[in-house]
């Protein structure tokens, strides 16, 4: 069974891949168009649809490298380079064919946010609330900006930060960086200088990554509200308060929204997956999650919205129009990561250390990989490989054959 880590399909002893001969298999040299795709969830709408192609299976370990600290951020592959941060404060540019480091930048605190890459700069945030822009050519700093101190954690007693794994990752669109802060503030910054264009203050930490449909910015807060903000000036268009429940009166939102079919889709700690009308903020449908947080961001493709669950330990796909369950599959452990999807391949990581490759049509298992550390971040799928980081500090490249 896939739940047995000892029977993981990965061949952990596989030798390093030679750079020659793997450029096509790993998509090296593929240049992304100027479509803002080199960021969390592979685009500003956060649909989770990856560049691909996906490997037929992930039975092979192409390479693995230790980055020096636990990895909870999601790797981003852009123009032939992998970018990923770690909890030792290192932010690295890595060769996708070999795992070798091109350069390493050291931030002022752990880096748990994913990066956005645009116009020769990599944007990311540290756990100390510092927003960085570093040059992709050499990792040298271009600018940085400090945010305020984290607001108290909500739903638990003050000072106890249960399951607060990430800082907000940046959304980059049309020369602007949109990003949330632990101080509860959503910021719009000039990509070249870091100059503040506008701010909007919520009442809780903002760990979600802002999403956009081109008209508005959509972002959730630990105060339990989803906010729709005007892109140009940051003015509030509408807000929606999650229902909450007896266990968590404030349905804190850690999930980053996906925007599709005129809907804003996101999960909450109040055991629900929500779909709101993007224009009005009114609920289109609400899907329950059986006493379980929904922390990840839903992947949206082929008329389905698919997301993992915590205590329920399932991955679920629902009909995008009405929210009715299409299928669900047990994955043996909480799935805090966001699903990544290419064609009929859906990949999702779990706190049990397993990366599942599922068939999008029916949820049946295609293959899987087992790590000896928890998998918290989202996988990236491109060039016939899947890349994922582990809390054990290892970055993995998985393919069908390994070498």
């Amino acid at each position: 069974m896939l739940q047995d880590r000892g029977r993981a399909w990965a061949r952990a002893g596989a030798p390093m891949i030679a750079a020659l001969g793997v450029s096509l298999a790993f998509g090296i040299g593929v240049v992304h168009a100027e479509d803002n795709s080199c960021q969390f969830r592979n685009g500003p709408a956060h649909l989770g649809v990856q560049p691909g192609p996906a490997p037929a299976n992930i039975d092979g370990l192409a390479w693995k490298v230790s980055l020096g600290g636990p990895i909870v951020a999601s790797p981003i592959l852009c123009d032939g380079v992998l970018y990923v941060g770690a909890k030792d404060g290192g932010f690295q540019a890595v060769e996708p064919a070999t795992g070798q480091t091109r350069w390493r930048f050291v931030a002022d605190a752990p880096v748990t946010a994913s990066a956005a890459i645009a116009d020769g700069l990599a944007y990311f945030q540290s756990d100390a609330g510092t927003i960085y822009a570093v040059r992709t050519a050499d990792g040298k700093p271009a600018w940085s900006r400090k945010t305020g101190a984290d607001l108290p954690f909500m739903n638990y007693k003050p000072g106890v930060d249960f399951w607060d794994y990430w800082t907000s990752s940046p959304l980059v669109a049309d020369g602007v960086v949109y990003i949330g802060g632990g101080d509860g503030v959503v910021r719009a910054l000039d990509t070249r200088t870091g100059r503040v264009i506008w701010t909007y203050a919520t009442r809780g930490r903002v760990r979600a990554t802002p999403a956009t449909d081109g008209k508005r910015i959509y972002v959730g807060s630990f105060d339990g509200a989803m906010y729709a903000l005007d892109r140009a000036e940051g003015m509030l268009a509408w807000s929606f308060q999650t229902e909450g429940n007896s266990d968590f009166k404030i349905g804190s939102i850690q999930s980053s929204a996906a925007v599709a079919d005129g809907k804003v889709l996101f999960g909450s700690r109040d055991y629900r997956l929500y779909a709101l009308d993007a224009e009005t903020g009114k609920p289109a449908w609400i899907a329950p999650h059986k006493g379980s947080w929904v922390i990840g961001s839903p992947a949206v493709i082929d008329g389905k919205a698919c997301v993992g669950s915590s205590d329920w330990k399932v991955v679920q796909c629902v009909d995008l129009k009405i929210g009715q369950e299409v299928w669900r599959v047990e994955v043996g452990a909480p799935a805090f990561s966001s699903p990544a999807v290419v064609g009929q391949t859906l990949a999702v990581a779990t706190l049990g250390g397993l990366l599942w490759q599922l068939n999008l049509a029916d949820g049946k298992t295609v293959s899987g990989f087992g790590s000896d550390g928890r998998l918290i971040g989202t996988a990236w799928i491109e060039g016939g490989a899947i890349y994922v980081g582990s809390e054990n500090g290892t970055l993995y490249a998985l393919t069908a054959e390994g070498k």
Side-chain angles (χ1 to χ4, degrees), residues 2 5 30 49 95 111 130 137 152 155 186 226 294 318 328 397:
L2 220 165
R5 189 178 301 156
V30 175
V49 180
E95 294 284 353
V111 179
T130 303
N155 280 331
V186 182
M226 174 59 63
V294 182
V318 301
R328 73 172 180 263

Side-chain angles (χ1 to χ4, degrees), residues 53-123:
N57 57 66
I58 47 175
D59 291 355
L61 175 63
W63 52 257
K64 63 177 183 177
V65 294
S66 176
L67 295 190
I71 304 169
V72 301
S74 306
I76 303 296
L77 178 56
C78 188
D79 298 343
V81 183
L82 272 169
Y83 299 91
V84 65
K87 293 188 77 172
D88 65 349
F91 178 80
Q92 302 190 55
V94 175
E95 294 284 353
T98 63
Q100 294 181 330
T101 296
R102 285 191 176 190
W103 52 255
R104 183 173 185 268
F105 174 86
V106 180
D108 60 354
V111 179
T112 56
S114 303
I117 317 299
D119 299 323
L121 295 175
Y123 306 92

Side-chain angles (χ1 to χ4, degrees), residues 182-199:
D183 58 359
V185 178
V186 182
R187 291 172 171 84
L189 309 174
D190 182 271
T191 54
R192 282 298 171 191
T193 65
R195 176 182 63 85
V196 176
I197 299 171
W198 55 255
T199 63

Side-chain angles (χ1 to χ4, degrees), residues 241-257:
Q241 190 69 39
T242 54
E243 295 183 14
N245 55 43
S246 58
D247 294 320
F248 302 97
K249 292 182 173 57
I250 300 172
S252 296
I253 301 170
Q254 198 163 359
S255 170
S256 300

Side-chain angles (χ1 to χ4, degrees), residues 255 267-269 271-273 289 292-296 307-310:
S255 170
S268 170
R269 294 188 181 216
Y271 314 153
R272 295 173 175 91
L273 175 65
H289 259 247
S292 182
W293 292 349
V294 182
I295 298 296
V307 74
S309 199
S310 62

Side-chain angles (χ1 to χ4, degrees), residues 10 12 16 61-75 82 84-88 92 94 99 353 369-378 386-398:
M16 294 286 283
L61 175 63
W63 52 257
K64 63 177 183 177
V65 294
S66 176
L67 295 190
I71 304 169
V72 301
S74 306
L82 272 169
V84 65
K87 293 188 77 172
D88 65 349
Q92 302 190 55
V94 175
F369 167 81
S371 162
D372 60 2
R374 299 192 302 175
L375 301 179
I376 299 174
T378 296
I386 297 181
Y387 305 91
V388 67
S390 170
E391 204 176 32
N392 67 12
T394 304
L395 180 65
Y396 298 93
L398 309 169

